[in-house]
Amino acid sequence: MGTTADHLAPESQRLAEQLVDALHTLFGVHPGYRPVHAKGVVCEGTFHPAESAAAISRAPHLQSAPVPITVRFSDFAGVPTVADGDPLASRRGMAIKFHLPDGMDTDIVAQSYDGFPTRTAEEFLAFVRALAASGPGVPSPTPIDTFIARYPQARRFAEAPKPAPSSFATESYHGVNAFRFIDREGMSRHGRYRIRPEAGETHLDPAEAVRRPASFLFGELAQRLSRGAARFRLLVQLAAEGDPVDDASLPWPEERPQVELGTIAVASRLADSAAVERRLIFDPARLVDGIELSDDPLLPVRSAVYAISYRRRNA
């Protein structure tokens, strides 16, 4: 079915270009790397769907047969040399590409924070520009102080604890955007992805994280995978009536039901990870029959941002 990036109105395409430019202003330009989540590693593995998945969606990878996957773990910042214990590296990323039997792919893009700082791409552009304009020596109130005073969800994002995990495999990840999941009878429910580590969540004290080697998460992952697969549970959190499905900045209550979609088994790091991740694009709007976009206004622009980033780093 594909993505929505190529069908955006010209003003939305310009907005996506401005967002990539703003991220480069914030983190600097690093040719060949993503403007955000620049430091990463690519792995391969298998997704095994749960019996309960087919009742939620008719999507082909949620039926009975396992499918191969490509997984990328990453630090948040758009700086490829960022230390894993640096606060800039917080908000870890986990992106998954499902390789389907018909040659199609579909993606999940998730992060370790439950929510997005803003509702719209226009607000996010203002947020990134405010961050870039609030460096050392800027008098108070800084542009970001003013912004988060106006947008409470941006304040929640900025002020939430940012503990480093002890491993990429001991962190939970959240798909912040809602999607429509459609079953074989045509019934649909809105949901958001959740990814839970089977090893459990463990985090480090900030002082300990800073003392660790600069790439301790990547080294730990290599050692872990040498002993066996890192496993995660993929779930979907279902919306109740009245839950916002068009606002990624507002998490749903924890008591909303979560349905098991399957098990992600990350088996090995790719030997040519650095080359592969340069040409890989993970796009949350790359969907297949049985999963559709919600009315979340971030999704089409987010898709365009990833496409622009891909073209620029491979130019």
Side-chain angles (χ1 to χ4, degrees), residues 221-257:
L221 183 66
Q223 293 180 5
R224 181 181 291 264
L225 297 183
S226 72
R227 300 189 298 269
R231 303 173 73 85
F232 298 83
R233 296 167 58 216
L234 177 63
L235 307 103
V236 60
Q237 183 190 34
L238 298 175
E241 186 173 354
D243 285 340
V245 298
D246 61 351
D247 188 346
S249 73
L250 296 175
W252 300 334
E254 278 298 314
E255 60 265 24
R256 296 294 181 260

Side-chain angles (χ1 to χ4, degrees), residues 255-266:
E255 60 265 24
R256 296 294 181 260
Q258 297 184 35
V259 177
E260 198 92 21
L261 295 182
T263 301
I264 298 159
V266 181

Side-chain angles (χ1 to χ4, degrees), residues 97-133:
K97 185 177 294 293
F98 301 83
H99 304 288
L100 307 182
D102 61 0
M104 296 283 288
D105 293 334
T106 186
D107 300 343
I108 293 175
V109 181
Q111 63 180 29
S112 59
Y113 177 77
D114 187 10
F116 202 72
T118 64
R119 177 180 178 271
T120 68
E122 291 84 356
E123 292 171 355
F124 186 59
L125 176 60
F127 175 71
V128 174
R129 285 174 169 171
L131 281 171

